[in-house]
Amino acid sequence: MNEDLIIFFSVLATAGRVLGLVLLSIVTGWLLSYGAIKGKIFENIFISISEVFESVPVISFFPVVLILFITRIGGSLGVELAADFLVFTAVVWNIWIAEYQAFKTIPREMVEVGENYRLGFFSILRNIYIPFSIPRIVANLFPSISDGFFYITVSEVFTIGITTYQTFGIGTEMQALISAGNTNGILLAFVFLALVIMIIIYFLRTFSKHAVAKYTVDTDTPVIRRGRFSFKNTTRRISATAATPFTRLSKYYRRRNPSMKNEMFEPERAGVNYSRYILATIGLVILAIILYSSTLLVLSVSAGEWSNLLALTPQIIIGLLYDYSRVAVVIAVTFVISITLGYYLAVNSRAESVGVPLIQVLTAFPAPVYFPFVYIAFYPDFHSVFGPLTSEFFVIALAFISTFYYLFYSFWMGVKAMPSEYQELMKNLNMGFFSKMRRVIIPSTFPYLIAGISSTINSTWGGLMIGEYWPSIYGSRTLEVSNGLMRFIDINTRSGNLGAAAWASFVFGIVVVVFSIFFTRRMMDLARKRYVAEEGVFAA
Amino acid sequence: MRNPANLVGGVGPGQPISLLESVNIHFSYENGYKVFENINISVGQDKFVGIVGPSGIGKSTLLRIMGGFLAPDSGATYLMGKKITKPTPKVVFVHQSIITFPWMTALENVMLSPRSMKVPQSEAEIVAMKALEDVGLQGFEELYPKEMSGGMRQRVAIARALAANPMVLLMDEPFSHLDELTAEGLRQDIYNILFRVDTPLKGVVLVSHNLTEVLELADEIYILNNIPATVVGKLVVDIPRPRSIRNPKFSEYLDILYTKLSPPGGKKNE
């Protein structure tokens, strides 16, 4: 087949893979979320698993994926499923959580209408729950699609030991083009990929506007009334189209207790509620499968292997410390850029109309695809500045590029969602930039900042995973750092030592979950308790 | 029905310099909808001015134009003869939704105004304490907004406005989110609070669709009607304070306002 066509179809295959998996996430999320609101046991299992996996960076799944799909299933199907699973785990969690939160916070009156008319399962889902969840799904699609594309280079082609596994897509194609030194092909791949991403973003933006206009209820997005100052409405509209509206969600979450019975209404019919038991059983079966697989895995490892793995733990911890230092640098740089550029775009509508779509396209464009060219073009310049730390610089730069949009979007969204009265008050009091930031903007965007920082930390690992050990980044050049947990996992995966890689991932997963429990959740609780800007606006 | 001599049919420019004056204001929304046509409003020294109009006529928008938050298509607003081009702490806006910052105590909320004007911390605290005392919130300084009733929160918002030492206060339906008893209590206090001799405040503009409220408080009332909105009348309220709705003159004024606020029969907005 003509090479141009192969490149074109490989772009379509990758885009189809990402979009298909996003769609799969959405559909499964509806079913699981509905199950969660109907059965307490199922809900507890579903939410606990989702929250843990959401906070564990997607890349730490990789060795597990390889073990499962390559060694157990094998063949081209195994490789395809491994790639799909990796992309799926990149996009699925925030979509599931968003759907669950939407289902959980649906106004009681709407549910009661459905109950009143005795709507069946599909009818109530199609007419009430699914439409209500659309704005929150849309809000999470931009980062999810960016994340999905980000992993195409590592998910479509990977090496274990001496074997390279690959599946059809632009990630694999790009690797082949680079190896062959086919400059025209590379350029063409960039053009096709850029076009497809731009088209996806365009449709997503158009659909966002439609979704907000059609599916938001007026408590989310006030209807524009004649003769009213429109800025407030505009900002709320935009806020509903961007990232996760944590503030509003948490408010709904605490307000409503779906398990609470309302005695004014028809008492529950006598008899056994079978669906609850079925859901509880499904939840318990999922839990049992996970426990069973884990036990099998632990038992299958010999005592000698366990002692080898335990001996590696100090090295893993040191690598983790190195990586957390890199994460800290990325967060600091991202924070400064987000609160300056994000604020500028949020309050300048003209700059925003160009800047935000541009950033959305750029961030959806997978950094690992173009980074080798940036690396090779600028290496001499940066080497003269950073000397022995040049590789460190490039790894942090890759992590930054791959992740900055989370915090940027969150902050931008937080500023957009700020009550317009706050903006007016700041103008009225002639507040300076730092005073505004310190007293009003950072506190009122605090829940968004914490959510953004948490996501940024999680996805920084993806950039580090790719960058810390990148053999043949361009020709015979290898990008690598001297120490780091991601490098450790990379090298052990490539050398076929999957046990060590999986153990490092496990230790890493535990640290991340502990970090999430002791830092992120506490910060989020603080944000929910104290920094909910909407609570400062009293409108009876 | 008697038509009091103090009902003025229209207001024109060219009068002596007012405290705050909006002259020949024309304004349209981005979609081309024409909101105002040739609006002229003048706020004299020590005057409490009310603006009334049917719901959706653009009263809040007009207040934002007067405060420099929105730029009119043509016309301008002047503070002591000086054109207002952007919001200024000399003209402070009190929102319809009661605005406080949930992460700040009542005292910190009020201190925001003096701190924004680079007043040192200790001095700002004194100013804020005084403002809270003025609005009757002495002893509640350390409460967070969430721990306060709607009426108390609105007092915090007013104290914050007063702590900026403004010359003019623009109030956009400040009692609309309060229950009637609380609103009535606050209305009774508000005039005395605002025009205490020791404040630099020289004028208040109150926008409301509650005619009783406006009659209770205002010295002069501008009546907006028609599409696009114009000033269809100005009422000078000549009832001694404290005003009672049982005063027969109160009912007469109310009748006039109702008459003037009959459904708009103005031009069609193209």
Side-chain angles (χ1 to χ4, degrees), chain A residues 66-83:
Chain A
L66 295 179
I67 292 169
L68 274 175
F69 293 102
I70 307 299
T71 61
R72 300 271 166 94
I73 300 172
S76 56
L77 180 67
V79 180
E80 177 59 43
L81 287 177

Side-chain angles (χ1 to χ4, degrees), chain B residues 15-121:
Chain B
Q15 291 166 359
I17 289 180
S18 305
L19 173 66
L20 186 77
E21 189 171 27
S22 291
V23 183
N24 296 331
I25 301 291
H26 291 249
F27 181 77
S28 307
Y29 287 139
E30 279 176 14
N31 61 9
Y33 183 87
K34 209 165 181 186
V35 187
F36 301 128
E37 197 169 72
N38 199 30
I39 299 272
N40 291 283
I41 286 179
S42 176
V43 182
Q45 295 267 352
D46 296 325
K47 293 290 180 200
F48 199 124
V49 171
I51 298 175
V52 296
S55 193
I57 197 91
K59 300 184 291 290
S60 302
T61 305
L62 180 58
L63 215 52
R64 284 185 164 88
I65 292 172
M66 294 177 83
F69 296 93
L70 286 175
D73 299 341
S74 63
T77 298
Y78 300 90
L79 177 69
M80 302 291 283
K82 206 174 161 191
K83 191 174 174 181
I84 295 177
T85 54
K86 60 177 185 178
T88 160
K90 287 179 181 164
V91 181
V92 170
F93 193 92
V94 178
H95 291 87
Q96 181 178 11
S97 306
I98 303 166
I99 304 301
T100 51
F101 297 97
W103 48 87
M104 297 179 187
T105 61
L107 182 66
E108 287 164 344
N109 262 288
V110 179
M111 278 173 69
L112 189 69
S113 296
R115 290 295 286 148
S116 303
M117 290 184 279
K118 309 275 187 292
V119 174
Q121 176 85 12

Side-chain angles (χ1 to χ4, degrees), chain A residues 226-229 421-422 424-425 427-428 430-431 439-440 443-444 529-532 535-540, chain B residues 29 33 61 64 69-70 88-89 91-93 95 97-100 102-104 112 116 144 146 153 177:
Chain A
R226 183 177 70 82
R228 284 279 176 200
F229 179 51
E421 290 90 345
Y422 280 10
E424 288 181 336
L425 190 62
K427 279 185 196 167
N428 206 168
N430 258 344
M431 292 172 78
R439 296 176 203 280
V440 180
S444 67
K529 215 160 131 187
R530 194 165 169 191
Y531 294 98
V532 180
E535 285 182 352
V537 180
F538 183 87
Chain B
Y29 287 139
Y33 183 87
T61 305
R64 284 185 164 88
F69 296 93
L70 286 175
T88 160
V91 181
V92 170
F93 193 92
H95 291 87
S97 306
I98 303 166
I99 304 301
T100 51
W103 48 87
M104 297 179 187
L112 189 69
S116 303
Y144 284 94
K146 266 189 276 190
R153 287 189 195 200
H177 290 300

Side-chain angles (χ1 to χ4, degrees), chain A residues 226-242:
Chain A
R226 183 177 70 82
R228 284 279 176 200
F229 179 51
S230 64
F231 180 68
K232 175 177 169 181
N233 299 320
T234 315
T235 51
R236 294 223 175 136
R237 271 174 175 253
I238 293 167
S239 75
T241 65

Side-chain angles (χ1 to χ4, degrees), chain A residues 56-66 159-161 312 315-317 319-320 323 461-462 464-466 468-471 481 483-509 512:
Chain A
V56 176
V58 61
I59 209 74
S60 68
F61 289 109
F62 204 42
V64 181
V65 170
L66 295 179
T159 306
I160 305 174
L312 286 172
Q315 193 187 338
I316 291 170
I317 300 290
L320 197 53
D323 279 354
W461 300 109
L464 294 180
M465 184 76 179
I466 293 171
E468 285 190 10
Y469 181 68
W470 194 342
V481 290
N483 214 327
L485 179 65
M486 296 299 116
R487 173 191 151 88
F488 179 90
I489 296 175
D490 264 340
I491 287 178
N492 281 292
T493 305
R494 282 171 188 274
S495 63
N497 189 1
L498 293 182
W503 174 243
S505 293
F506 179 72
V507 173
F508 174 51
V512 166

